[in-house]
Amino acid sequence: TVIQWFPGHMAKAKREVQEKLKLIDVAFELLDARLPMSSRNPMIDDILGQKPRLILLNKADMADEAVTEQWIRYFHDQGRLALPIDAQSGTGVRQIAAAAKEMVKDKFEKMRAKGIKNPRPVRALIVGIPNVGKSTLINRLAGRHIAKTGDKPGVTKAQQWIKVGKEMELLDTPGILWPKFEDEDVGYKLAVTGAIKDEILNLQDVAVYALRFLSTHYPNRLAERYGLDDIPDDIVALFDTIGRRRGCLTSGGAVDYDKVADIVLYDIRTEKLGRLSFETPASRT
Ligand code: G4P
């Protein structure tokens, strides 16, 4: 689904999340482990306010493990707990309920102190930008398939609580928030990882971004994947070399750049170049 985020939609999305916050004890901020800053809503601190928040670095299975460790430390230094997870396979997902419970310990202590003997389950909400894995995680926590509402803020249905074990309940409709747009780099990173659809940016531009990134940060992987002896500095030369290696030629024998772009992006998204992270705490702008 392609979402058009206009100012009115953003305001509405924010309002909808804030309505849901009234119902919950803890928010799960779902980020893409490969690009935690670029996959983050720019107004998240304002939107969530003082609500206890657990950061979940999803798709950790596709991210560079060493970089994910750096991000966990980075968030830790800011006083936030971040857990790496893979919502698709379920890795790390079992830790979520325990972490959530720990986060609301004080609030529940107070409830007990007021004489409430059996406090209710901890109530949680998942928030994140489109395609970060919100529905996958909801299904994983629920242990069954939960119908997805349209990826549109404002498409409402009756909300329900999903039981996650005995001690947690999750709202079945996640909070959908917009990504950062103002930064071109962010747009390219989101496009490379498939978080924003291929129709939005020019595919060759996205591939240029990806190849430049790989040349700088993962040159060996790039060389190995496409059988390159050395990596040309010139981006057109790099497209040409990969194109010839992979037989991406037009009937006239010229390199078909669209096809090269397709192959490179497909390879990245299907981990043919291994696990990749597109930003580190140090590279963060
Ligand atoms: P959303 O609700 O936040 O919009 O995201 P959704 O769950 O639909 O997930 C978006 C895509 O990311 C899906 O792939 C999903 O399978 C994939 N995904 C979610 N979590 C993980 C994870 O932890 N690891 C990996 N590797 N992938 C994950 P898709 O190609 O759009 O659909 P499909 O292939 O599942 O059919």
Side-chain angles (χ1 to χ4, degrees):
T1 349
V2 178
I3 308 181
Q4 301 281 1
W5 292 103
F6 297 113
H9 294 141
M10 297 182 193
K12 191 163 187 182
K14 177 180 175 186
R15 238 173 11 245
E16 282 177 7
V17 168
Q18 288 181 324
E19 278 304 308
K20 292 177 205 273
L21 290 183
K22 294 177 187 163
L23 307 173
I24 58 137
D25 305 302
V26 56
F28 298 152
E29 184 189 6
L30 201 56
L31 303 176
D32 188 318
R34 298 168 295 175
L35 56 168
M37 283 300 135
S38 297
S39 59
R40 191 170 221 198
N41 173 272
M43 286 175 64
I44 194 69
D45 289 344
D46 175 39
I47 292 170
L48 296 184
Q50 294 303 308
K51 188 62 76 175
R53 184 193 328 181
L54 174 63
I55 294 173
L56 300 174
L57 300 173
N58 193 34
K59 310 195 190 186
D61 56 307
M62 299 186 81
D64 193 322
E65 274 176 294
V67 178
T68 302
E69 293 274 319
Q70 291 175 24
W71 280 114
I72 289 168
R73 241 175 291 131
Y74 166 85
F75 286 117
H76 177 85
D77 290 347
Q78 298 195 332
R80 296 205 185 277
L81 178 61
L83 299 177
I85 64 165
D86 167 2
Q88 208 166 50
S89 77
T91 306
V93 170
R94 267 200 320 210
Q95 271 85 285
I96 295 174
K101 198 179 163 194
E102 180 64 26
M103 266 180 176
V104 299
K105 210 172 65 185
D106 288 353
K107 179 174 174 181
F108 278 64
E109 277 307 325
K110 279 184 196 137
M111 282 161 65
R112 270 187 218 96
K114 282 183 190 155
I116 300 169
K117 284 212 187 64
N118 290 310
R120 56 177 174 71
V122 175
R123 290 185 175 157
L125 167 72
I126 294 172
V127 299
I129 67 167
N131 285 313
V132 74
K134 297 181 297 300
S135 328
T136 308
L137 180 59
I138 290 172
N139 291 340
R140 182 54 67 181
L141 287 168
R144 64 194 159 95
H145 183 80
I146 307 293
K148 187 174 182 172
T149 35
D151 254 357
K152 290 198 180 76
V155 179
T156 46
K157 64 165 194 187
Q159 301 182 98
Q160 288 182 17
W161 294 104
I162 297 166
K163 285 209 173 355
V164 182
K166 282 204 171 70
E167 296 185 298
M168 188 166 94
E169 285 178 354
L170 182 70
L171 266 189
D172 68 343
T173 51
I176 303 169
L177 292 169
W178 63 97
K180 266 183 214 154
F181 295 110
E182 60 278 18
D183 183 341
E184 195 182 52
D185 236 43
V186 171
Y188 281 126
K189 285 179 194 169
L190 291 171
V192 170
T193 54
I196 61 176
K197 297 297 168 198
D198 287 343
E199 299 81 64
I200 296 189
L201 292 171
N202 178 292
L203 218 58
Q204 284 188 24
D205 287 346
V206 177
V208 166
Y209 183 88
L211 285 173
R212 286 221 170 97
F213 179 84
L214 294 170
S215 303
T216 311
H217 298 279
Y218 296 96
N220 298 339
R221 307 249 196 110
L222 190 61
E224 194 185 329
R225 176 69 192 167
Y226 301 110
L228 313 172
D229 294 328
D230 58 359
I231 297 166
D233 280 338
D234 181 69
I235 194 73
V236 179
L238 181 55
F239 263 75
D240 282 336
T241 314
I242 295 174
R244 290 190 202 290
R245 285 271 164 188
R246 304 299 295 264
C248 305
L249 302 177
T250 64
S251 50
V255 170
D256 182 339
Y257 295 111
D258 283 331
K259 213 163 179 182
V260 175
D262 264 341
I263 285 185
V264 168
L265 294 175
Y266 177 84
D267 285 354
I268 290 171
R269 292 170 188 169
T270 55
E271 283 183 271
K272 298 293 187 298
L273 287 124
R275 298 168 64 157
L276 302 171
S277 289
F278 294 91
E279 55 199 19
T280 65
S283 74
R284 168 187 65 91
T285 41

